[in-house]
Amino acid sequence: MPARSSVRAAPQPSRYDYLKAVLTAKVYDVAVESALDRAPALARRLHNQVLLKREDQQPVFSFKLRGAYNKMAHLAPEQLKCGVICASAGNHAQGVALGARKLGARAVIVMPVSTPQLKVDAVKALGGEVVLAGDSYSDAYEHALQLQQREQLTFIHPFDDPLVIAGQGTIAMEILRQHQGPLDAVFVAIGGGGLVSGMASYIKAVRPEVKVVGVQMNDSDAMAQSVAAGQRVQLRDVGLFADGTAVKQVGEETFRLTRELVDEFISVDTDAVCAAIKDVFVDTRSIVEPSGAMAVAALKQYVATHNTRGETYVAVLCGANMNFDRLRFVAERAEVGEEREALLAVTIPEERGSFRRFLQTLDGLPGGPRNVTEFNYRISDASRAHIFVGLSIAGKGESPKIAAHFAQHGFAAIDLTHDELAKEHVRYMVGGRSQLAGQERLLRFEFPERPGALMKFLNLMKPDWNISLFHYRNQGADHGRVLVGMQVPQNGDAALRKFLTELGYPWVEETDNPAYRLFL
């Protein structure tokens, strides 16, 4: 009979172990105790007290330096002498670089080649040695592991490390000290889970009655899916708008803690986050990044769902590393996210006097006349005209009523307020159909913003296919939203699927979308 091993697995740290780790965390050599500010305008609208934890005020405009520095500050002197390494395209990279500079250590930061120059320059300014490798975070991560082994560096994980988790938990410690009165819920964005698991560990140990709500983008919800499945789930693709939380698989330790301690999960979409960025700006005159506004978007959704009044909530503004070029996109989508703008496709007869009758119908809309925010028209049919129209509205639920009002007055209308194709592309492209675009398949893609992305697309296309439509708008992000019409033979389904698999870019087919059928 084989002898039993005398080696036992180390026990998993409890929430009380994390409580001690948070209380003794070494973060304030580099981090500041960020403010807990009231949001008066948002509070008046929601009829609840809203407090904003201002992690956008940190020296690197993000909470990430807390966990990174806490991990590095606990390293042995010989480890610091060898240096540290991480893989990151954003806030963690800056946190590691700043922490290493403070500790006098070498910091190697591996970033994907598609990383915007703004972020590369920010890391270099903090003393980090930038290595560009691979097309994605996963590629950069693999390269970082190779460098770690070759150069005997210490890897600083962005979230799945108890010392990193404890460093992020100091945010909860500050919140409960800064606000000792009634507190109903704290809303926290989730990427890999380091922030939410650290904060939840502290809150549930000290004030277990306070609800911890985890927030994810609806296209990057690896943690919520993992908790529902009872095991870690790896997503095939993640949305990149909120790039700070775009993680395909959460950590082992963060999953364990989050599953045990987080009370509820809320998913939010791009429009809701854009509206939340505007809400934060109105109350603070500061602009946070999409991931930084996710908690506010979820807080608003929570209030609307539960119809609460008189409660007190905290939303963590976890970062403000926003590319300036992206503000145009945010401003465009904020009104739709707040449902202050309705987008509709309206069909009217192509005859004299139709426009006049349509405008008269606007004056009789439920709730009174509306300002026209957008009006697009291009003649394309002898008998019918299709109009793409934007109207200002007072709030949620009005756009279907407006569409019904048009229908009652003889104008067929389709509500496009929540149609992604219409919001991203069609509103800029209204121009009518082309007789030359036979056998057209319409697809929306997310192209990586890097040299060669379009050439890869073209090289993989079949020689007998033709591009019949192409629309791209730069939004200051790490990816480009591209709409492509492709003329594919009727027997080409298998070849198209093979092409999309080999290409590897996130895509959605929109061939049957009504906005496409009407306007393009």
Side-chain angles (χ1 to χ4, degrees):
M1 186 174 180
R4 264 184 206 173
S5 171
S6 60
V7 178
R8 294 184 181 179
Q12 294 174 323
S14 69
R15 76 181 73 171
Y16 299 105
D17 294 324
Y18 275 106
L19 173 62
K20 180 180 178 181
V22 169
L23 291 170
T24 57
K26 302 175 181 179
V27 301
Y28 296 108
D29 286 345
V30 293
V32 300
E33 179 170 317
S34 59
L36 186 65
D37 290 340
R38 297 179 183 274
L42 194 56
R44 283 193 298 271
R45 281 174 46 206
L46 299 181
H47 305 290
N48 291 279
Q49 183 175 195
V50 178
L51 303 172
L52 306 176
K53 182 58 173 166
R54 300 292 306 277
E55 285 300 289
D56 58 306
Q57 296 177 338
Q58 293 296 345
V60 296
F61 308 105
S62 162
F63 74 96
K64 282 286 191 176
L65 81 169
R66 292 177 182 261
Y69 186 80
N70 190 47
K71 171 67 176 179
M72 289 187 285
H74 281 84
L75 294 178
E78 57 270 21
Q79 290 177 299
L80 284 174
K81 185 177 180 180
C82 290
V84 298
I85 188 170
C86 76
S88 171
N91 297 338
H92 181 60
Q94 295 180 62
V96 170
L98 177 61
R101 186 175 71 178
K102 180 69 176 179
L103 293 165
R106 176 192 179 200
V108 179
I109 315 295
V110 185
M111 310 177 88
V113 296
S114 59
T115 304
Q117 192 62 39
L118 177 77
K119 295 181 179 180
V120 173
D121 292 342
V123 172
K124 288 182 177 178
L126 293 168
E129 300 176 23
V130 175
V131 176
L132 298 177
D135 294 334
S136 67
Y137 169 78
S138 298
D139 296 335
Y141 176 76
E142 292 300 323
H143 188 72
L145 293 181
Q146 294 172 14
L147 285 178
Q148 176 202 10
Q149 293 294 323
R150 189 165 70 232
E151 302 190 25
Q152 297 299 301
L153 303 167
T154 298
F155 192 85
I156 308 299
H157 200 281
F159 48 83
D160 204 26
D161 183 292
L163 288 169
V164 172
I165 292 168
Q168 322 302 28
T170 57
I171 299 172
M173 177 180 69
E174 292 173 10
I175 290 171
L176 297 188
R177 184 171 64 244
Q178 291 166 324
H179 178 81
Q180 298 181 14
L183 180 57
D184 295 281
V186 178
F187 295 81
V188 187
I190 299 177
L195 177 62
V196 75
S197 55
M199 291 188 62
S201 295
Y202 187 87
I203 290 170
K204 292 304 181 182
V206 177
R207 292 189 59 181
E209 79 282 3
V210 176
K211 185 179 287 188
V212 178
V213 181
V215 186
Q216 298 206 273
M217 293 297 294
N218 59 356
D219 54 8
S220 304
D221 59 344
M223 183 66 83
Q225 287 195 36
S226 297
V227 171
Q231 60 183 1
R232 290 193 303 152
V233 170
Q234 181 159 358
L235 303 182
R236 180 177 176 274
D237 293 303
V238 290
L240 298 176
F241 174 65
D243 53 347
T245 53
V247 173
K248 292 183 179 180
Q249 187 175 42
V250 300
E252 292 183 13
E253 179 67 356
T254 59
F255 169 67
R256 181 183 75 86
L257 291 169
T258 301
R259 179 172 60 171
E260 176 187 348
L261 300 174
V262 173
D263 297 282
E264 184 177 338
F265 297 93
I266 293 178
S267 67
V268 294
D269 62 20
T270 296
D271 291 338
V273 171
C274 289
I277 292 172
K278 180 180 177 182
D279 291 325
V280 174
F281 175 78
V282 169
D283 267 320
T284 68
R285 295 301 187 268
S286 297
I287 298 174
V288 295
E289 65 186 79
S291 297
M294 285 168 56
V296 172
L299 188 158
K300 292 165 61 182
Q301 186 173 314
Y302 180 90
V303 170
T305 301
H306 297 281
N307 196 28
T308 61
R309 280 177 173 260
E311 296 194 341
T312 300
Y313 305 124
V314 171
V316 180
L317 306 185
C318 57
N321 285 299
M322 166 80 87
N323 288 348
F324 184 80
D325 293 343
R326 195 181 292 194
L327 294 177
R328 176 179 62 181
F329 174 79
V330 171
E332 288 172 353
R333 299 291 287 265
E335 292 300 293
V336 177
E338 193 57 48
E339 295 209 20
R340 301 289 181 185
E341 181 185 36
L343 301 178
L344 301 108
V346 183
T347 301
I348 68 175
E350 186 64 85
E351 62 187 26
R352 294 183 184 278
S354 290
F355 271 146
R356 185 186 298 274
R357 286 199 299 112
F358 173 73
L359 293 175
Q360 290 171 341
T361 304
L362 289 179
D363 292 337
L365 285 170
R370 300 291 197 283
N371 289 330
V372 176
T373 58
E374 188 159 348
F375 198 98
N376 295 319
Y377 162 72
R378 174 77 161 88
I379 189 168
S380 62
D381 187 275
S383 60
R384 293 178 300 173
H386 302 302
I387 299 168
F388 188 99
V389 61
L391 298 171
S392 62
I393 56 177
K396 296 182 183 295
E398 281 199 37
S399 55
K401 296 176 184 177
I402 292 174
H405 174 80
F406 285 138
Q408 290 169 5
H409 287 77
F411 300 120
I414 300 174
D415 182 6
L416 300 176
T417 305
H418 303 287
D419 188 298
E420 206 65 21
L421 175 67
K423 292 182 289 188
E424 286 185 7
H425 298 285
V426 172
R427 69 193 306 174
Y428 310 106
M429 300 179 64
V430 173
R433 303 178 184 84
S434 170
Q435 298 299 318
L436 301 176
Q439 296 181 325
E440 185 176 64
R441 302 280 289 271
L442 192 73
L443 296 110
R444 269 193 301 122
F445 290 95
E446 288 184 357
F447 276 33
E449 287 283 9
R450 64 169 183 264
L454 177 58
M455 187 58 69
K456 178 183 178 182
F457 179 91
L458 297 174
N459 288 339
L460 288 173
M461 279 184 61
K462 293 289 184 181
D464 59 338
W465 296 355
N466 183 54
I467 292 178
S468 50
L469 178 151
F470 198 94
H471 181 249
Y472 160 75
R473 295 180 74 237
N474 183 286
Q475 297 161 348
D478 301 341
H479 64 286
R481 298 171 186 264
V482 181
L483 184 68
V484 184
M486 303 171 64
Q487 292 177 286
V488 179
Q490 289 183 348
N491 61 353
D493 282 358
L496 180 61
R497 285 195 297 271
K498 183 174 183 291
F499 163 77
L500 294 170
T501 300
E502 292 178 354
L503 182 65
Y505 300 165
W507 62 275
V508 175
E509 181 157 11
E510 297 281 15
T511 306
D512 295 324
N513 188 294
Y516 162 63
R517 294 293 183 183
L518 287 172
F519 295 108
L520 302 179

